[in-house]
Amino acid sequence: MKQYTGFSGPSGIVIDSEGKLWVADTGNSRLLRIDTVTGNCIGGIDRSMGLLRPIAVACDNLKNLYITDAQTADLCRYTYFGKRAHALGEIRKLQAPSQSAISSDGIIYLAETGADRLHVFGSDGNSILTLDMPMRKLGPLNKPSGVAIGPLGEIYVSDTLNHRVIRFAWD
């Protein structure tokens, strides 16, 4: 077992395509990249690059990070080198955005906890779909906080206050 220290309220984590660990160090307003073999910090993104309160992180196969920032209420795309590439959902500020996930074809899924919605963005950052209405037989989402993609492309959403996980399959 290995322990990584020096964080202030670490929250979201993800392993990138190179096997490195990214940690949203929320209390220190930064995202750190950790070599999982040596345990050394080998880079990161901080306040000087626009991060204020990162709470979640996801990555795609093109060396892009998708960072959810609780302070700015948005989901932004950054390169591994810290260049801010694009803000998703910036037409209107999101209400308590939380976890995101990226499919193998670059589709971005974002749980917006404060507005009881799930957003779907294309790889270009444009909105494709927003699930924010009662679903037949399932009822409305109630504080969705997590999202994951299964091996066959199915989407799993943790519907926190409904005490369930919902599986969406796009047939």
Side-chain angles (χ1 to χ4, degrees):
M1 181 181 338
K2 186 164 189 85
Q3 177 175 296
Y4 303 97
T5 60
F7 299 105
S8 176
S11 51
I13 59 174
V14 70
I15 302 288
D16 67 24
S17 61
E18 297 174 2
K20 308 302 187 224
L21 175 68
W22 288 90
V23 179
D25 188 8
T26 306
N28 287 319
S29 301
R30 63 186 180 179
L31 189 76
L32 297 177
R33 190 175 194 212
I34 309 291
D35 184 307
T36 54
V37 175
T38 66
N40 295 327
C41 178
I42 55 172
I45 301 168
D46 61 20
R47 186 178 284 273
S48 71
M49 298 170 193
L51 283 185
L52 297 178
R53 194 163 176 253
I55 57 168
V57 60
C59 60
D60 64 18
N61 295 329
L62 301 173
K63 298 187 178 185
N64 291 307
L65 298 165
Y66 297 83
I67 304 169
T68 307
D69 194 311
Q71 182 87 22
T72 59
D74 61 13
L75 174 67
C76 290
R77 180 180 3 216
Y78 286 79
T79 67
Y80 282 10
F81 308 104
K83 181 179 178 197
R84 185 177 168 134
H86 188 69
L88 288 71
E90 68 182 348
I91 294 171
R92 58 167 177 65
K93 288 297 181 187
L94 300 168
Q95 297 175 37
S98 54
Q99 189 174 3
S100 62
I102 293 92
S103 67
S104 60
D105 57 356
I107 304 298
I108 304 148
Y109 300 87
L110 171 68
E112 185 181 7
T113 305
D116 300 324
R117 296 188 270 234
L118 177 70
H119 293 279
V120 183
F121 297 98
S123 58
D124 59 1
N126 292 321
S127 180
I128 295 174
L129 175 69
T130 300
L131 297 174
D132 62 350
M133 61 186 115
M135 294 165 274
R136 191 177 351 167
K137 297 182 182 179
L138 294 176
L141 294 172
N142 193 354
K143 304 301 178 230
S145 59
V147 60
I149 300 171
L152 301 176
E154 66 277 27
I155 309 305
Y156 294 87
V157 177
S158 60
D159 191 11
T160 306
L161 294 186
N162 281 328
H163 309 287
R164 64 185 178 180
V165 173
I166 299 173
R167 178 184 174 270
F168 294 96
W170 311 111
D171 299 323

